[in-house]
Amino acid sequence: QVHLVESGGDLVQPGGSLTLSCAASGFTLDNYAMGWFRQAPGKEREGVSCLSGRDGSTYYADSVKGRFAISRDNAKNTMYLHMNSLKTEDAAVYYCAAEKFPIPSLRGFCVNPSSLYDYWGRGTQVTVSS
């Protein structure tokens, strides 16, 4: 909510690129698992990519491997999602979330999103269309 704010969503042509940002406030991401999740109309929310603020380890959904990259800037307390070769099926509202360590696994955090995570942003719209 007030702790995570996404930005960067836009209208992009298929094959285009876009970078999303998630700015954290009130806490530092160093000791949190953080991730990007997306939800298209009529679909369930799904994990896209996640990152450990503790050691920088990452996880990617099969659908975005090789096209998306997650990163962090601890000095800015911000997480990013760099999206390349965008497809129509990538269109969705993208949300960021955070959960304080310890967690069972980064993959589990990403694959099974929960409303109980410590923080959720309100989302940013990504539209992919010609």
Side-chain angles (χ1 to χ4, degrees):
Q1 288 66 18
V2 298
H3 300 282
L4 294 175
V5 179
E6 304 96 334
S7 62
D10 206 349
L11 170 64
V12 188
Q13 294 182 334
S17 300
L18 193 65
T19 296
L20 307 181
S21 300
C22 176
S25 61
F27 72 98
T28 57
L29 55 78
D30 303 67
N31 200 37
Y32 283 76
M34 300 189 68
W36 288 99
F37 305 81
R38 67 187 182 188
Q39 188 165 21
K43 304 294 184 180
E44 292 293 312
R45 188 170 299 187
E46 62 176 345
V48 177
S49 182
C50 297
L51 173 149
S52 168
R54 178 177 290 176
D55 62 12
S57 60
T58 60
Y59 172 85
Y60 294 92
D62 288 343
S63 60
V64 306
K65 285 182 179 177
R67 299 190 299 118
F68 291 10
I70 192 169
S71 66
R72 63 176 176 177
D73 186 333
N74 286 344
K76 297 180 179 179
N77 211 34
T78 299
M79 176 182 66
Y80 304 93
L81 183 66
H82 311 278
M83 304 183 292
N84 301 302
S85 301
L86 283 162
K87 304 175 180 179
T88 300
E89 50 263 43
D90 293 319
V93 176
Y94 283 70
Y95 302 86
C96 64
E99 178 76 3
K100 190 174 184 179
F101 282 101
I103 60 171
S105 74
L106 185 65
R107 182 180 186 278
F109 167 81
C110 212
V111 172
N112 302 296
S114 172
S115 62
L116 298 179
Y117 290 160
D118 289 339
Y119 307 110
W120 278 98
R122 293 185 60 84
T124 186
Q125 177 72 55
V126 173
T127 302
V128 185
S129 179
S130 299

